Every structure is written in C-alpha cells, then in structure tokens.
Amino acid sequence: MPEGPEIRRAADCVHRQLAGRRLDDAWFAFPELAGQAASLVGRRVTAVDSWGKALLIRFDDGRVLYSHNQLYGVWKLHAADREPDTNRSLRVRLVTQGRAASLYSASDVSLWDEGRIGDHPFLSRLGPDLLTHGVTVGQARARLLEPRFRRRGLGGLLLDQSLFAGIGNYLRAEILFFAGLHFKVRAGDLEEGALTRLAACILAVTRQAYEQAGVTNRADWAAADRTLGATRRRWRFAVFEREGLPCHACGTAIERVRVASRRLYLCPCCQPAG
C-alpha cells in the first residue's frame, strides 16, 4: 500500500491539474454526493494536499473533498474529452478548462466543510502529517516523549498513525536504520542526542522518499548497487527488502523479522538490541 510520500506526490499531480481553476463539471458515483455535484460547478480549486493516506481537494467556498485510495483506488489525470484506458470503476470526476481528474475504484469519498474536516472519523485519529503540516525536529521530539508514546517500542510505535500520519512499513525500516536504533528501543529511554537523531531521521527520510519518488537510500550506496546491476527495487532502499544482503555501512547481513505483524528489516550490527 502506498505510504505518505506516494499519496503526497499523487496530491501534487492533482494539484497541478486542477488548482487555481474553476470547475466546469463534477460527477460522483455515490448517491450521497451526486446531489452536491452541481454546487461545485464554478467553484475554484484552491489547493490539493494530503493528510497521511488521505487526499484533500480544497475549494474556494471552504469545502473539502476527502478521498482515501485504500488498496485499489487511483487518480488518473487526462484530457476531459479522452477517457483513460482502464477497466476500473469511475467514482469521481472533476473537470476544468479541458482537463480532468478522475478517481477510480475508491469507495471512501466525502465532502466536508473546512472547519469540520478534522472531525472526519479517519482524520480525527491521525497525528500530524510529516509533509503537509510543517512538523519540526523539536515538535517531533516532543511528540515522541508524550506519555501515550514514550514507553512503546519504536518498531510498533512508528506504524501508529496517531503519532505521525504517513509512515508505513518501508519508511519505518529505513528511519530506524538511519537513526541506528533497534525496534525494541523506547523513545522515553533514549538519550538526548539519540532522540534528536530519531526525530531528524523521521523527517529527513520521509522528505527524501517524497522528493525522490520512494528512494530512501544514500546516493553513493544506491550508485554502487546500480553499478553492480541491481534493480531499482533493490537499490532504492538501505535495508528494506534486502534480507541476506550486506549492510551498506558495515557489511553485516541484513535480517528480516516480524514486528507489529509486519515485516521489518534491520542491520543487527548498526542497530544493536542492547
């Protein structure tokens, strides 16, 4: 499933397609939304952003269209007079100045007033989005030390969307590796330097994944792997999905374990348990 950086990149694409323009047409497959489609015609799209794995389209009248792709949903951008080549089921279509953004296969779509979007049943459970809400290293440090988070092992905690929205399985493994921390370590037990390093890695790894289309590896390590003929799936990560391969930093074989019912990859030397 896509993680926060992938959803934010999708939001950026929809933003470029629609933002700053007024809708010429709107269509919804859902009966509860179909009656509101006409009221969106003529409204200007002010921004498209994301919160965790949800995509938010904002209009100039203060309304926000919420959508969550879940497992199979996908936005397709196309000319308004040309249907995308797909067998998926159309759920939403927004048209402006000959351009269209169409959402296929998603089932979680709703329209909200801006002032109430935080009350959405899904969004209300999320922590701040690392790419949208301007989280600083200091704020990330403070959040990790909140009573509800500080005594939990990092391997499970980082997947908790109430901590930070958008961190999924590959980001968790890469963050812990670059922070040099074992998955059993608790934020409340970290010394000040290690805590700051963790907070900085949470932000930096997520930002890099967003800016480099899912690549979290160091540039020199990735280049070395490519020289050896590695596929993108292998060279894009430092540890994720590299079980049995040598750690880029120390040469120790990368291990795979299960933590919080998800696979986690780590270097036992660079991320010692004790």
Side-chain angles (χ1 to χ4, degrees):
M1 178 183 290
E3 301 184 19
E6 287 73 40
I7 300 302
R8 182 51 192 264
R9 288 177 67 87
D12 288 349
C13 291
V14 178
H15 178 91
R16 289 191 291 269
Q17 185 82 336
L18 301 178
R21 302 175 178 88
R22 297 186 182 277
L23 291 189
D24 297 319
D25 192 24
W27 181 89
F28 298 101
F30 311 99
E32 62 274 19
L33 288 176
Q36 300 182 65
S39 70
L40 289 175
V41 174
R43 301 265 55 104
R44 181 170 56 88
V45 176
T46 59
V48 183
D49 54 44
S50 60
W51 189 347
K53 298 179 182 180
L55 189 143
L56 306 174
I57 300 177
R58 303 178 185 276
F59 299 97
D60 63 357
D61 64 351
R63 285 183 291 176
V64 181
L65 183 66
Y66 164 99
S67 64
H68 193 299
N69 285 1
Q70 300 168 304
L71 284 175
Y72 304 110
V74 61
W75 282 93
K76 290 184 176 293
L77 310 178
H78 56 98
D81 60 355
R82 183 176 302 171
E83 290 291 326
D85 184 14
T86 179
N87 292 321
R88 293 171 177 264
S89 298
L90 179 63
R91 303 300 190 190
V92 176
R93 176 161 291 168
L94 305 176
V95 178
T96 177
Q97 297 179 12
R99 306 181 181 189
S102 299
L103 177 61
Y104 292 87
S105 301
S107 59
D108 189 3
V109 183
S110 51
L111 196 59
W112 292 74
D113 290 329
E114 173 71 42
R116 293 186 55 247
I117 191 65
D119 297 330
H120 185 283
F122 175 71
L123 299 180
S124 64
R125 301 195 301 269
L126 297 183
D129 185 282
L130 294 164
L131 296 169
T132 300
H133 296 148
V135 180
T136 66
V137 171
Q139 291 170 335
R141 272 178 49 102
R143 193 162 184 83
L144 287 162
L145 291 180
E146 288 184 12
R148 56 181 168 154
F149 301 133
R150 62 180 291 120
R151 308 310 297 173
R152 294 174 57 188
L154 295 177
L157 177 60
L158 289 179
L159 292 182
D160 186 340
Q161 299 299 292
S162 68
L163 173 69
F164 298 112
I167 297 178
N169 215 29
Y170 83 79
L171 283 177
R172 170 181 68 163
E174 299 289 286
I175 288 167
L176 289 175
F177 172 74
F178 284 111
L181 296 172
H182 193 269
F183 61 85
K184 290 184 179 180
V185 171
R186 302 180 296 187
D189 295 333
L190 292 174
E191 296 180 353
E192 184 174 343
L195 181 64
T196 299
R197 185 171 69 249
L198 171 61
C201 284
I202 287 172
L203 296 175
V205 173
T206 302
R207 171 62 59 174
Q208 180 180 330
Y210 162 64
E211 293 178 347
Q212 299 185 22
V215 176
T216 52
N217 203 0
R218 270 177 37 174
D220 55 335
W221 292 347
D225 266 357
R226 288 197 300 271
T227 299
L228 296 174
T231 62
R232 184 181 188 278
R233 188 178 183 90
R234 177 172 294 181
W235 62 253
R236 65 179 281 204
F237 299 123
V239 290
F240 189 72
E241 293 189 332
R242 297 190 74 249
E243 179 184 7
L245 296 173
C247 171
H248 290 294
C250 70
T252 303
I254 300 300
E255 295 181 355
R256 169 178 167 169
V257 295
R258 289 192 71 81
V259 180
S261 301
R262 305 284 297 279
R263 56 198 170 108
L264 174 67
Y265 299 82
L266 74 157
C267 171
C269 180
C270 295
Q271 301 166 257

